Amino acid sequence: MATPDAVRRHYDSLAFVYRTFWGDHIHHGLFVDGDGPARAQLRMVEHCVSLLGTFGRDVLDVGCGHGGTAVYLAKRCGCRVLGITISEKQGYLARENATEAGVGSQIGIVVADAERFAYPRERFDVVWTMESSEHFADKGRYFQNASHTLRPGGRLLLSAWTGSMRSARVREVARRFLCPQLWTSEQYESSIAAGGLRVRASEDLSRSVMRTWEICSQRAQAAKMAVQLLPTTARDFVAGIDVILEAYRKGELGYAVMTAEKP
Ligand code: SAH
């Protein structure tokens, strides 16, 4: 079951696997012109920054992983970033990465459940939500919270795996990757609007991100012997790579990036 505790255990125990297979940015890459994975991951962040258009001083990064994005934003935009992660292990890695990158004073990390977090009113210019909302049981409530914590004129960035829970493949991806539900772009758009934000942009990037999983699959294949020695959770995760890839190839799983503004 995709409970907050299960999500915490997943990221605590798989931090090493994520790092080995993909690095400290644990989101899809945006592949253009034969990009390698590291370049594609940064390109995704850069693309989202440019889609947001404006960048204020205070950023809330909900589901901040190992802090890869927080470090990038602190350096590139000079902003202050508060990262939330449910995983203690990730919190440790994110703080370590921020300090090593010389932006420790601009980045704060809180280990907390984002669905229970006390979001301060009108405190942030940007709420960055990259591939974390999939894990939330009450996404509608989350977008209300995002709206509440944004300053007027502030912006939400959302990137998410998308799909209809009517598809058995999508349900299987959701089950394996601890997502209570995956949503379609339309569900996200209407929930963001219902939360009080105005959707400014919505893009389908499925075709440009799918290569992420082709590369992970190749890496898993190459490390097949070593994978056999990993604990069951890690082996299950690796087995899930091909399930995702197939769902993308069939066009049932997708990837959306959206921005929205608080009026
Ligand atoms: N945004 C990061 C990490 C994406 S992985 C990146 O782009 O690299 C998903 C992240 O969401 C993980 O950091 C996980 O700990 C976090 N997450 C999932 N459910 C959460 C919850 N309920 N509260 C806080 N963080 C959560």
Side-chain angles (χ1 to χ4, degrees), residues 126-183:
V126 169
V127 173
W128 184 278
T129 317
M130 184 163 273
E131 301 186 36
S132 54
S133 69
E134 295 87 332
H135 295 296
F136 300 167
D138 190 347
K139 302 190 211 315
R141 175 101 188 99
Y142 171 69
F143 293 123
Q144 287 169 8
N145 283 329
S147 173
H148 170 82
T149 206
L150 278 170
R151 295 182 174 128
R155 292 186 181 175
L156 169 81
L157 179 280
L158 175 89
S159 77
W161 311 11
T162 54
S164 164
M165 291 298 279
R166 284 200 294 267
S167 149
R169 276 197 186 82
V170 170
R171 287 198 301 276
E172 179 62 5
V173 170
R175 189 188 67 75
R176 283 178 171 272
F177 290 87
L178 301 174
C179 309
Q181 285 200 331
L182 291 180
W183 270 8

Short mmCIF file of all heavy atoms in Angstrom, two decimals, residues 126-183:
data_model
loop_
_atom_site.label_atom_id
_atom_site.label_comp_id
_atom_site.label_asym_id
_atom_site.label_seq_id
_atom_site.Cartn_x
_atom_site.Cartn_y
_atom_site.Cartn_z
N VAL A 126 7.67 30.72 -5.31
CA VAL A 126 7.55 29.54 -6.18
C VAL A 126 7.32 28.30 -5.32
O VAL A 126 8.00 28.12 -4.31
CB VAL A 126 8.84 29.34 -7.04
CG1 VAL A 126 8.83 27.98 -7.74
CG2 VAL A 126 9.00 30.47 -8.05
N VAL A 127 6.36 27.49 -5.72
CA VAL A 127 6.22 26.15 -5.12
C VAL A 127 6.56 25.15 -6.22
O VAL A 127 5.88 25.07 -7.24
CB VAL A 127 4.80 25.90 -4.57
CG1 VAL A 127 4.65 24.45 -4.13
CG2 VAL A 127 4.51 26.82 -3.39
N TRP A 128 7.66 24.46 -6.00
CA TRP A 128 8.22 23.55 -7.00
C TRP A 128 7.81 22.12 -6.63
O TRP A 128 8.12 21.65 -5.53
CB TRP A 128 9.74 23.71 -6.97
CG TRP A 128 10.50 22.94 -7.99
CD1 TRP A 128 10.87 21.64 -7.94
CD2 TRP A 128 11.03 23.48 -9.21
NE1 TRP A 128 11.59 21.32 -9.06
CE2 TRP A 128 11.71 22.42 -9.86
CE3 TRP A 128 10.99 24.73 -9.83
CZ2 TRP A 128 12.35 22.58 -11.08
CZ3 TRP A 128 11.63 24.89 -11.04
CH2 TRP A 128 12.30 23.82 -11.67
N THR A 129 7.12 21.44 -7.53
CA THR A 129 6.61 20.10 -7.22
C THR A 129 7.02 19.16 -8.35
O THR A 129 6.29 18.98 -9.33
CB THR A 129 5.07 20.12 -7.12
OG1 THR A 129 4.67 21.28 -6.39
CG2 THR A 129 4.55 18.87 -6.44
N MET A 130 8.21 18.61 -8.22
CA MET A 130 8.71 17.78 -9.32
C MET A 130 8.63 16.31 -8.94
O MET A 130 9.38 15.82 -8.10
CB MET A 130 10.14 18.19 -9.68
CG MET A 130 10.70 17.44 -10.86
SD MET A 130 12.16 18.23 -11.58
CE MET A 130 11.42 19.37 -12.72
N GLU A 131 7.69 15.61 -9.57
CA GLU A 131 7.55 14.15 -9.42
C GLU A 131 7.38 13.71 -7.96
O GLU A 131 7.93 12.70 -7.56
CB GLU A 131 8.72 13.44 -10.09
CG GLU A 131 8.81 13.78 -11.57
CD GLU A 131 9.87 12.98 -12.32
OE1 GLU A 131 10.06 11.79 -11.99
OE2 GLU A 131 10.47 13.53 -13.26
N SER A 132 6.64 14.49 -7.19
CA SER A 132 6.32 14.06 -5.82
C SER A 132 4.81 13.93 -5.61
O SER A 132 4.37 13.08 -4.83
CB SER A 132 6.90 15.04 -4.79
OG SER A 132 6.49 16.36 -5.06
N SER A 133 4.01 14.71 -6.35
CA SER A 133 2.56 14.68 -6.13
C SER A 133 1.97 13.30 -6.43
O SER A 133 0.92 12.95 -5.90
CB SER A 133 1.87 15.73 -7.00
OG SER A 133 1.94 15.36 -8.36
N GLU A 134 2.67 12.52 -7.24
CA GLU A 134 2.19 11.17 -7.56
C GLU A 134 1.98 10.37 -6.27
O GLU A 134 1.12 9.51 -6.19
CB GLU A 134 3.21 10.42 -8.44
CG GLU A 134 3.42 11.00 -9.82
CD GLU A 134 4.48 12.09 -9.85
OE1 GLU A 134 4.68 12.77 -8.82
OE2 GLU A 134 5.07 12.29 -10.92
N HIS A 135 2.80 10.67 -5.26
CA HIS A 135 2.74 9.92 -4.01
C HIS A 135 1.65 10.43 -3.06
O HIS A 135 1.44 9.83 -2.01
CB HIS A 135 4.07 10.00 -3.27
CG HIS A 135 5.22 9.34 -3.98
ND1 HIS A 135 5.25 7.99 -4.23
CD2 HIS A 135 6.37 9.83 -4.48
CE1 HIS A 135 6.39 7.69 -4.85
NE2 HIS A 135 7.09 8.79 -5.02
N PHE A 136 1.03 11.56 -3.39
CA PHE A 136 0.08 12.16 -2.45
C PHE A 136 -1.30 11.53 -2.60
O PHE A 136 -1.81 11.40 -3.72
CB PHE A 136 -0.03 13.68 -2.65
CG PHE A 136 1.27 14.44 -2.46
CD1 PHE A 136 1.38 15.75 -2.87
CD2 PHE A 136 2.36 13.83 -1.85
CE1 PHE A 136 2.56 16.46 -2.70
CE2 PHE A 136 3.55 14.53 -1.68
CZ PHE A 136 3.65 15.85 -2.11
N ALA A 137 -1.91 11.23 -1.44
CA ALA A 137 -3.25 10.62 -1.48
C ALA A 137 -4.31 11.67 -1.79
O ALA A 137 -5.29 11.39 -2.46
CB ALA A 137 -3.54 9.95 -0.14
N ASP A 138 -4.12 12.90 -1.28
CA ASP A 138 -5.12 13.95 -1.50
C ASP A 138 -4.48 15.11 -2.27
O ASP A 138 -4.03 16.11 -1.71
CB ASP A 138 -5.65 14.43 -0.14
CG ASP A 138 -6.86 15.34 -0.29
OD1 ASP A 138 -7.13 15.79 -1.44
OD2 ASP A 138 -7.53 15.61 0.72
N LYS A 139 -4.43 14.94 -3.59
CA LYS A 139 -3.74 15.93 -4.42
C LYS A 139 -4.50 17.26 -4.43
O LYS A 139 -3.91 18.34 -4.45
CB LYS A 139 -3.56 15.40 -5.85
CG LYS A 139 -2.79 14.07 -5.93
CD LYS A 139 -2.45 13.73 -7.35
CE LYS A 139 -2.38 12.25 -7.68
NZ LYS A 139 -1.67 11.36 -6.75
N GLY A 140 -5.84 17.17 -4.39
CA GLY A 140 -6.65 18.39 -4.38
C GLY A 140 -6.30 19.26 -3.18
O GLY A 140 -6.12 20.48 -3.30
N ARG A 141 -6.17 18.62 -2.05
CA ARG A 141 -5.82 19.35 -0.82
C ARG A 141 -4.42 19.95 -0.95
O ARG A 141 -4.15 21.06 -0.50
CB ARG A 141 -5.87 18.37 0.36
CG ARG A 141 -5.42 18.92 1.67
CD ARG A 141 -6.61 19.29 2.57
NE ARG A 141 -6.16 19.99 3.76
CZ ARG A 141 -6.18 21.32 3.91
NH1 ARG A 141 -6.65 22.09 2.95
NH2 ARG A 141 -5.74 21.87 5.02
N TYR A 142 -3.52 19.21 -1.59
CA TYR A 142 -2.16 19.73 -1.78
C TYR A 142 -2.17 21.03 -2.60
O TYR A 142 -1.47 21.98 -2.25
CB TYR A 142 -1.26 18.67 -2.45
CG TYR A 142 0.06 19.28 -2.82
CD1 TYR A 142 0.96 19.66 -1.82
CD2 TYR A 142 0.39 19.56 -4.14
CE1 TYR A 142 2.14 20.31 -2.14
CE2 TYR A 142 1.56 20.19 -4.47
CZ TYR A 142 2.44 20.56 -3.46
OH TYR A 142 3.61 21.21 -3.78
N PHE A 143 -2.98 21.08 -3.65
CA PHE A 143 -2.99 22.30 -4.47
C PHE A 143 -3.62 23.47 -3.72
O PHE A 143 -3.23 24.62 -3.92
CB PHE A 143 -3.66 22.04 -5.83
CG PHE A 143 -2.84 21.10 -6.67
CD1 PHE A 143 -3.38 19.91 -7.15
CD2 PHE A 143 -1.52 21.40 -6.97
CE1 PHE A 143 -2.59 19.03 -7.90
CE2 PHE A 143 -0.73 20.53 -7.71
CZ PHE A 143 -1.27 19.34 -8.17
N GLN A 144 -4.56 23.17 -2.82
CA GLN A 144 -5.08 24.25 -1.96
C GLN A 144 -3.96 24.78 -1.06
O GLN A 144 -3.82 25.98 -0.86
CB GLN A 144 -6.22 23.72 -1.07
CG GLN A 144 -7.51 23.47 -1.83
CD GLN A 144 -8.52 22.70 -0.98
OE1 GLN A 144 -8.32 22.47 0.21
NE2 GLN A 144 -9.60 22.28 -1.62
N ASN A 145 -3.17 23.86 -0.52
CA ASN A 145 -2.05 24.27 0.33
C ASN A 145 -1.03 25.08 -0.46
O ASN A 145 -0.48 26.07 0.04
CB ASN A 145 -1.35 23.04 0.92
CG ASN A 145 -2.12 22.43 2.08
OD1 ASN A 145 -2.80 23.15 2.81
ND2 ASN A 145 -2.02 21.13 2.25
N ALA A 146 -0.76 24.64 -1.69
CA ALA A 146 0.21 25.36 -2.53
C ALA A 146 -0.29 26.79 -2.77
O ALA A 146 0.48 27.75 -2.68
CB ALA A 146 0.42 24.62 -3.85
N SER A 147 -1.57 26.91 -3.05
CA SER A 147 -2.16 28.23 -3.29
C SER A 147 -2.06 29.09 -2.03
O SER A 147 -1.70 30.27 -2.08
CB SER A 147 -3.61 28.03 -3.73
OG SER A 147 -4.25 29.25 -3.81
N HIS A 148 -2.35 28.48 -0.90
CA HIS A 148 -2.32 29.19 0.39
C HIS A 148 -0.92 29.73 0.70
O HIS A 148 -0.76 30.82 1.23
CB HIS A 148 -2.78 28.20 1.47
CG HIS A 148 -2.60 28.66 2.87
ND1 HIS A 148 -3.50 29.50 3.49
CD2 HIS A 148 -1.62 28.40 3.78
CE1 HIS A 148 -3.08 29.74 4.72
NE2 HIS A 148 -1.95 29.09 4.93
N THR A 149 0.10 28.96 0.36
CA THR A 149 1.46 29.33 0.76
C THR A 149 2.16 30.22 -0.27
O THR A 149 3.23 30.78 0.00
CB THR A 149 2.29 28.06 1.09
OG1 THR A 149 3.33 28.40 2.02
CG2 THR A 149 2.90 27.42 -0.14
N LEU A 150 1.55 30.36 -1.46
CA LEU A 150 2.14 31.26 -2.47
C LEU A 150 1.74 32.70 -2.20
O LEU A 150 0.61 32.98 -1.78
CB LEU A 150 1.65 30.87 -3.87
CG LEU A 150 2.36 29.71 -4.56
CD1 LEU A 150 1.60 29.30 -5.83
CD2 LEU A 150 3.82 30.07 -4.90
N ARG A 151 2.67 33.61 -2.49
CA ARG A 151 2.32 35.03 -2.45
C ARG A 151 1.50 35.35 -3.70
O ARG A 151 1.63 34.66 -4.72
CB ARG A 151 3.60 35.86 -2.46
CG ARG A 151 4.43 35.64 -1.21
CD ARG A 151 5.68 36.51 -1.17
NE ARG A 151 6.34 36.32 0.10
CZ ARG A 151 7.64 36.01 0.27
NH1 ARG A 151 8.44 35.87 -0.78
NH2 ARG A 151 8.13 35.86 1.48
N PRO A 152 0.68 36.40 -3.66
CA PRO A 152 -0.03 36.79 -4.89
C PRO A 152 0.99 37.01 -6.00
O PRO A 152 2.04 37.61 -5.78
CB PRO A 152 -0.73 38.09 -4.48
CG PRO A 152 -0.88 37.99 -2.99
CD PRO A 152 0.32 37.25 -2.50
N GLY A 153 0.71 36.47 -7.17
CA GLY A 153 1.65 36.57 -8.29
C GLY A 153 2.68 35.44 -8.27
O GLY A 153 3.44 35.26 -9.22
N GLY A 154 2.71 34.66 -7.18
CA GLY A 154 3.64 33.55 -7.08
C GLY A 154 3.21 32.40 -7.98
O GLY A 154 2.06 32.35 -8.44
N ARG A 155 4.14 31.47 -8.23
CA ARG A 155 3.84 30.43 -9.23
C ARG A 155 4.13 29.01 -8.75
O ARG A 155 5.08 28.78 -8.01
CB ARG A 155 4.63 30.71 -10.51
CG ARG A 155 4.08 31.97 -11.15
CD ARG A 155 4.68 32.28 -12.47
NE ARG A 155 4.09 33.53 -12.94
CZ ARG A 155 4.44 34.16 -14.03
NH1 ARG A 155 5.37 33.66 -14.81
NH2 ARG A 155 3.85 35.28 -14.38
N LEU A 156 3.29 28.13 -9.24
CA LEU A 156 3.45 26.70 -8.99
C LEU A 156 4.11 26.06 -10.20
O LEU A 156 3.74 26.35 -11.34
CB LEU A 156 2.07 26.06 -8.80
CG LEU A 156 2.04 24.54 -8.78
CD1 LEU A 156 2.45 24.00 -7.41
CD2 LEU A 156 0.65 24.00 -9.14
N LEU A 157 5.10 25.20 -9.94
CA LEU A 157 5.62 24.34 -11.01
C LEU A 157 5.23 22.92 -10.65
O LEU A 157 5.49 22.47 -9.52
CB LEU A 157 7.14 24.48 -11.10
CG LEU A 157 7.93 23.68 -12.14
CD1 LEU A 157 8.21 22.24 -11.76
CD2 LEU A 157 7.32 23.73 -13.54
N LEU A 158 4.61 22.24 -11.58
CA LEU A 158 4.27 20.84 -11.36
C LEU A 158 4.82 20.01 -12.50
O LEU A 158 4.58 20.31 -13.68
CB LEU A 158 2.74 20.65 -11.33
CG LEU A 158 2.36 19.17 -11.22
CD1 LEU A 158 2.26 18.72 -9.78
CD2 LEU A 158 1.07 18.87 -11.96
N SER A 159 5.58 18.97 -12.17
CA SER A 159 5.88 17.98 -13.21
C SER A 159 5.44 16.63 -12.64
O SER A 159 5.64 16.37 -11.45
CB SER A 159 7.36 17.98 -13.60
OG SER A 159 8.12 17.32 -12.64
N ALA A 160 4.80 15.85 -13.47
CA ALA A 160 4.20 14.62 -12.94
C ALA A 160 4.06 13.54 -14.01
O ALA A 160 3.87 13.83 -15.19
CB ALA A 160 2.81 14.94 -12.36
N TRP A 161 4.16 12.30 -13.54
CA TRP A 161 3.81 11.15 -14.37
C TRP A 161 2.29 11.18 -14.50
O TRP A 161 1.60 11.35 -13.49
CB TRP A 161 4.18 9.84 -13.70
CG TRP A 161 5.56 9.72 -13.14
CD1 TRP A 161 6.49 10.71 -12.96
CD2 TRP A 161 6.17 8.52 -12.67
NE1 TRP A 161 7.62 10.20 -12.40
CE2 TRP A 161 7.45 8.86 -12.21
CE3 TRP A 161 5.75 7.19 -12.59
CZ2 TRP A 161 8.33 7.91 -11.68
CZ3 TRP A 161 6.61 6.25 -12.06
CH2 TRP A 161 7.89 6.60 -11.63
N THR A 162 1.79 10.98 -15.69
CA THR A 162 0.34 11.07 -15.87
C THR A 162 -0.21 9.78 -16.48
O THR A 162 0.49 9.06 -17.20
CB THR A 162 -0.03 12.24 -16.80
OG1 THR A 162 0.71 12.09 -18.02
CG2 THR A 162 0.29 13.58 -16.15
N GLY A 163 -1.49 9.54 -16.20
CA GLY A 163 -2.15 8.39 -16.80
C GLY A 163 -3.50 8.18 -16.14
O GLY A 163 -3.77 8.73 -15.08
N SER A 164 -4.31 7.40 -16.83
CA SER A 164 -5.64 7.13 -16.30
C SER A 164 -5.62 5.84 -15.49
O SER A 164 -5.10 4.81 -15.96
CB SER A 164 -6.63 6.99 -17.46
OG SER A 164 -7.80 6.36 -16.98
N MET A 165 -6.21 5.89 -14.31
CA MET A 165 -6.26 4.69 -13.47
C MET A 165 -7.20 3.64 -14.05
O MET A 165 -7.31 2.53 -13.52
CB MET A 165 -6.67 5.05 -12.04
CG MET A 165 -5.62 5.85 -11.28
SD MET A 165 -4.03 4.98 -11.04
CE MET A 165 -4.41 3.95 -9.61
N ARG A 166 -7.86 3.96 -15.17
CA ARG A 166 -8.67 2.93 -15.85
C ARG A 166 -7.76 1.92 -16.56
O ARG A 166 -8.17 0.82 -16.88
CB ARG A 166 -9.63 3.59 -16.84
CG ARG A 166 -10.83 4.24 -16.16
CD ARG A 166 -11.95 4.44 -17.15
NE ARG A 166 -11.56 5.41 -18.15
CZ ARG A 166 -11.81 6.72 -18.08
NH1 ARG A 166 -12.49 7.19 -17.07
NH2 ARG A 166 -11.41 7.53 -19.01
N SER A 167 -6.51 2.34 -16.83
CA SER A 167 -5.57 1.45 -17.52
C SER A 167 -4.89 0.52 -16.51
O SER A 167 -4.34 0.96 -15.50
CB SER A 167 -4.52 2.30 -18.25
OG SER A 167 -3.28 1.63 -18.30
N ALA A 168 -4.90 -0.77 -16.82
CA ALA A 168 -4.28 -1.76 -15.91
C ALA A 168 -2.77 -1.50 -15.81
O ALA A 168 -2.18 -1.66 -14.75
CB ALA A 168 -4.54 -3.17 -16.43
N ARG A 169 -2.16 -1.07 -16.92
CA ARG A 169 -0.71 -0.79 -16.90
C ARG A 169 -0.39 0.38 -15.97
O ARG A 169 0.58 0.36 -15.23
CB ARG A 169 -0.21 -0.45 -18.30
CG ARG A 169 0.12 -1.64 -19.12
CD ARG A 169 0.98 -1.29 -20.32
NE ARG A 169 1.11 -2.48 -21.12
CZ ARG A 169 0.19 -2.87 -22.00
NH1 ARG A 169 -0.88 -2.13 -22.21
NH2 ARG A 169 0.35 -4.00 -22.67
N VAL A 170 -1.23 1.40 -16.05
CA VAL A 170 -1.02 2.57 -15.19
C VAL A 170 -1.21 2.19 -13.73
O VAL A 170 -0.44 2.59 -12.85
CB VAL A 170 -1.95 3.74 -15.62
CG1 VAL A 170 -1.93 4.86 -14.60
CG2 VAL A 170 -1.55 4.25 -17.00
N ARG A 171 -2.21 1.36 -13.46
CA ARG A 171 -2.43 0.91 -12.08
C ARG A 171 -1.22 0.11 -11.57
O ARG A 171 -0.83 0.23 -10.42
CB ARG A 171 -3.70 0.05 -11.98
CG ARG A 171 -4.99 0.85 -12.09
CD ARG A 171 -6.18 0.07 -11.55
NE ARG A 171 -6.40 -1.20 -12.23
CZ ARG A 171 -7.09 -1.34 -13.37
NH1 ARG A 171 -7.64 -0.29 -13.94
NH2 ARG A 171 -7.25 -2.54 -13.92
N GLU A 172 -0.62 -0.66 -12.47
CA GLU A 172 0.55 -1.46 -12.08
C GLU A 172 1.75 -0.55 -11.79
O GLU A 172 2.49 -0.77 -10.81
CB GLU A 172 0.87 -2.47 -13.20
CG GLU A 172 2.07 -3.36 -12.97
CD GLU A 172 1.95 -4.28 -11.75
OE1 GLU A 172 0.88 -4.30 -11.11
OE2 GLU A 172 2.95 -4.95 -11.43
N VAL A 173 1.93 0.48 -12.60
CA VAL A 173 3.01 1.46 -12.34
C VAL A 173 2.76 2.11 -10.98
O VAL A 173 3.65 2.22 -10.14
CB VAL A 173 3.09 2.54 -13.45
CG1 VAL A 173 4.03 3.67 -13.05
CG2 VAL A 173 3.52 1.92 -14.78
N ALA A 174 1.50 2.54 -10.75
CA ALA A 174 1.15 3.21 -9.49
C ALA A 174 1.43 2.28 -8.30
O ALA A 174 1.99 2.69 -7.29
CB ALA A 174 -0.30 3.65 -9.52
N ARG A 175 1.06 1.03 -8.45
CA ARG A 175 1.24 0.09 -7.35
C ARG A 175 2.74 -0.10 -7.04
O ARG A 175 3.17 0.00 -5.90
CB ARG A 175 0.62 -1.27 -7.72
CG ARG A 175 0.55 -2.27 -6.59
CD ARG A 175 0.11 -3.65 -7.04
NE ARG A 175 1.06 -4.33 -7.92
CZ ARG A 175 2.20 -4.88 -7.53
NH1 ARG A 175 2.57 -4.84 -6.26
NH2 ARG A 175 3.01 -5.48 -8.40
N ARG A 176 3.51 -0.32 -8.10
CA ARG A 176 4.93 -0.59 -7.90
C ARG A 176 5.69 0.61 -7.36
O ARG A 176 6.68 0.46 -6.64
CB ARG A 176 5.59 -1.00 -9.23
CG ARG A 176 5.29 -2.42 -9.62
CD ARG A 176 5.92 -2.73 -10.95
NE ARG A 176 5.82 -4.14 -11.24
CZ ARG A 176 6.72 -5.05 -10.85
NH1 ARG A 176 7.78 -4.69 -10.17
NH2 ARG A 176 6.56 -6.32 -11.15
N PHE A 177 5.27 1.80 -7.77
CA PHE A 177 6.03 3.00 -7.37
C PHE A 177 5.33 3.80 -6.27
O PHE A 177 5.60 4.98 -6.10
CB PHE A 177 6.38 3.84 -8.61
CG PHE A 177 7.40 3.13 -9.45
CD1 PHE A 177 7.02 2.22 -10.42
CD2 PHE A 177 8.75 3.33 -9.22
CE1 PHE A 177 7.96 1.52 -11.16
CE2 PHE A 177 9.71 2.63 -9.95
CZ PHE A 177 9.31 1.73 -10.93
N LEU A 178 4.46 3.13 -5.54
CA LEU A 178 3.85 3.68 -4.33
C LEU A 178 3.11 5.00 -4.56
O LEU A 178 3.32 5.98 -3.85
CB LEU A 178 4.93 3.87 -3.25
CG LEU A 178 5.66 2.57 -2.86
CD1 LEU A 178 6.79 2.85 -1.92
CD2 LEU A 178 4.70 1.59 -2.24
N CYS A 179 2.28 5.00 -5.58
CA CYS A 179 1.45 6.17 -5.86
C CYS A 179 0.00 5.75 -5.59
O CYS A 179 -0.51 4.85 -6.27
CB CYS A 179 1.58 6.60 -7.32
SG CYS A 179 3.29 6.78 -7.86
N PRO A 180 -0.68 6.39 -4.62
CA PRO A 180 -2.07 6.01 -4.37
C PRO A 180 -2.89 6.09 -5.66
O PRO A 180 -3.74 5.24 -5.91
CB PRO A 180 -2.54 7.05 -3.35
CG PRO A 180 -1.29 7.59 -2.73
CD PRO A 180 -0.21 7.48 -3.76
N GLN A 181 -2.60 7.10 -6.46
CA GLN A 181 -3.26 7.27 -7.77
C GLN A 181 -2.34 8.05 -8.69
O GLN A 181 -1.65 8.95 -8.23
CB GLN A 181 -4.51 8.13 -7.62
CG GLN A 181 -5.66 7.43 -6.98
CD GLN A 181 -6.95 8.15 -7.32
OE1 GLN A 181 -6.97 9.37 -7.53
NE2 GLN A 181 -8.03 7.41 -7.38
N LEU A 182 -2.37 7.71 -9.97
CA LEU A 182 -1.80 8.64 -10.96
C LEU A 182 -2.98 9.38 -11.56
O LEU A 182 -4.09 8.85 -11.61
CB LEU A 182 -1.02 7.89 -12.03
CG LEU A 182 0.29 7.25 -11.56
CD1 LEU A 182 0.99 6.54 -12.72
CD2 LEU A 182 1.24 8.28 -10.96
N TRP A 183 -2.74 10.58 -12.01
CA TRP A 183 -3.79 11.41 -12.60
C TRP A 183 -3.46 11.73 -14.05
O TRP A 183 -2.29 11.75 -14.45
CB TRP A 183 -3.90 12.73 -11.82
CG TRP A 183 -4.85 12.69 -10.66
CD1 TRP A 183 -5.49 11.60 -10.14
CD2 TRP A 183 -5.26 13.82 -9.86
NE1 TRP A 183 -6.27 11.98 -9.07
CE2 TRP A 183 -6.14 13.33 -8.88
CE3 TRP A 183 -4.95 15.18 -9.88
CZ2 TRP A 183 -6.74 14.18 -7.93
CZ3 TRP A 183 -5.53 16.01 -8.94
CH2 TRP A 183 -6.42 15.51 -7.97
#
